[in-house]
Amino acid sequence: MKKQNVSRRQFIGTSMLAAAGIALSSKGSFANSIFAKTKPNSKINGVQIGVITYSFRSMPGSIEQILKYCLDCDINAIELMGDAAEAFAGAPGYDNSADYKTRMAAWRESTLMDSFIAIRKMYNDAGVKIYAWKPNALNANNTDGEIAYAFNAGKALGCSHVTVELPDDNQTVRLGNLAEKYDMMVGYHAHTQATPTLWDTALSQSDHNGINLDIGHYVAGTSSSPIDFIKKNHKRILSMHLKDRKFHDGPNMPWGQGDTPIKDVLALMKKEGYKFPATIEQEYQIPAGSDAVKEVIKCREYAKAALS
C-alpha cells in the first residue's frame, strides 16, 4: 500500500481512537441495522471479491464501523487489519513512549482469544467472513510470543491466513516455522519491488509461506502484466489485492484508467476456478463529494461487470 493522503501511523492512531470510543450509533441500534438487512454477497460467478480495512482509512475505523462499511458495500469478505480488532480486544492505545512496544508485547502474549472469537461471531452473523488478518505483530522485532498470538488470533477470527509485508529471508524462515507450529498460513505482500521471482525463496522455505499478491504494485514495479505470474503461482497465492496503477512506478488510478489488467485477471480467476479471494484496495484519490464507501462500491461494480 502506498502512502496517499493518510499515513499508516495516522491511520493506526485514528483507527484505535475510533475503535475505543467513537460510535456511529448505540450497540442496540447498530445490531438492529445489521440484522435488518439482507446478508451481503460479493461472490460473483465463483470469484470471491473482498475488501481490506485500509480502503476505509479516511473514515472512522472501529470494528463495528468497518463491518457497517462492508454491509453498505454489499461485500461479504474482508482482510482485516490488526488495529481495530486489537482495540476492540483492549490493547494499549498507541503512544510514542519508550515502553509502548514492551507493553504491547506483554498484552499480546497474555491476552485471551475471547474478543477475537466475538468479532468473528459479529461479522459472521452479519454475513461477512474474515479471511485474512494483517496484525503488526509479525516483524523481526516482535517476540515469538507475539507471533504465536497473531496466528492464534487469526484462527479465532476465522482466517485462513495472516498477511505481512515481505521481510528478509531470515524472517520468512522464522515465520514459516512458527506458522507450521501453529497451523496457519502466511501471505507475503510486496510493493513495487515485486518481480516474477521475488517470492521464490520464501516459498521454498516452508509450505506455510504463501503470496499476498498486489496486482497494482506488480504492474507499477515490473511494467508488465501479472497474468503469467498468477498462472505459475496460483497454488501459492493466498489472497490478491486489486488496484489500478500505471506502468513505470506510476500512480494509483480510478479502476479502468491505469495499466493494471483487472478485468483480465478476474476473467482468469473465473475461467480457472481459482479460490483465493480478490481484495478491493481503494487507494486512488477520492473525488470531491465522494467518500471511501462510495468508491469501494464503484470498485465492486467494476469487478461485477468484469465477471458477468
Side-chain angles (χ1 to χ4, degrees), residues 30-103:
F30 177 76
N32 290 337
S33 71
I34 290 178
F35 296 114
K37 286 189 173 184
T38 303
K39 297 289 177 69
N41 183 15
S42 55
K43 190 169 187 178
I44 304 167
N45 285 327
V47 177
Q48 179 64 68
I49 301 297
V51 68
I52 186 171
T53 309
Y54 190 71
S55 295
F56 306 116
R57 63 198 174 281
S58 59
M59 305 177 75
S62 73
I63 204 71
E64 296 91 350
Q65 289 164 331
I66 293 166
L67 175 55
K68 184 177 185 301
Y69 303 150
C70 290
L71 301 181
D72 289 345
C73 295
D74 192 21
I75 289 177
N76 70 330
I78 187 170
E79 178 183 345
L80 186 67
M81 294 180 72
D83 314 300
E86 290 189 326
F88 182 89
Y94 177 80
D95 61 51
N96 289 315
S97 64
D99 68 339
Y100 171 74
K101 288 183 179 179
T102 300
R103 289 188 292 111

Side-chain angles (χ1 to χ4, degrees), residues 15-36:
S15 298
M16 296 287 272
L17 283 172
I22 302 173
L24 289 174
S25 59
S26 69
K27 288 184 178 179
S29 61
F30 177 76
N32 290 337
S33 71
I34 290 178
F35 296 114

Side-chain angles (χ1 to χ4, degrees), residues 120-167:
R120 176 182 183 174
K121 184 178 188 307
M122 181 195 305
Y123 276 58
N124 288 178
D125 285 350
V128 178
K129 176 175 176 54
I130 305 169
Y131 56 84
W133 189 44
K134 189 171 188 174
N136 187 26
L138 297 166
N139 303 304
N141 61 355
N142 292 116
T143 66
D144 284 1
E146 287 182 279
I147 294 170
Y149 147 86
F151 292 148
N152 287 328
K155 284 195 280 189
L157 290 167
C159 302
S160 65
H161 61 287
V162 298
T163 59
V164 64
E165 303 300 315
L166 182 65

Side-chain angles (χ1 to χ4, degrees), residues 1 134 138-140 162-173 175 186-195 197-205 209-213 229:
M1 289 170 292
K134 189 171 188 174
L138 297 166
N139 303 304
V162 298
T163 59
V164 64
E165 303 300 315
L166 182 65
D168 64 29
D169 294 349
N170 291 330
Q171 184 66 0
T172 52
V173 169
L175 290 177
V186 185
Y188 296 104
H189 183 80
H191 290 243
T192 53
Q193 83 272 31
T195 68
T197 60
L198 180 70
W199 287 267
D200 286 359
T201 297
L203 298 182
S204 70
Q205 291 167 342
N209 285 341
I211 302 168
N212 172 236
L213 179 65
F229 179 88

Side-chain angles (χ1 to χ4, degrees), residues 44 49 242 244 254-258 260-264 266 280 295-308:
I44 304 167
I49 301 297
L242 300 175
D244 201 352
W255 287 21
Q257 297 181 29
T260 309
I262 297 174
K263 290 182 178 179
D264 292 342
L266 291 174
I280 294 169
E295 296 308 308
V296 169
I297 290 172
K298 290 179 185 177
C299 295
R300 185 199 181 283
E301 289 305 304
Y302 186 96
K304 180 180 178 181
L307 290 165
S308 296

Side-chain angles (χ1 to χ4, degrees), residues 216-235:
H217 291 326
Y218 187 96
V219 161
T222 65
S223 297
S224 65
S225 169
I227 292 288
D228 287 344
F229 179 88
I230 294 168
K231 288 180 178 178
K232 178 183 177 182
N233 295 284
H234 66 91
K235 291 182 179 179

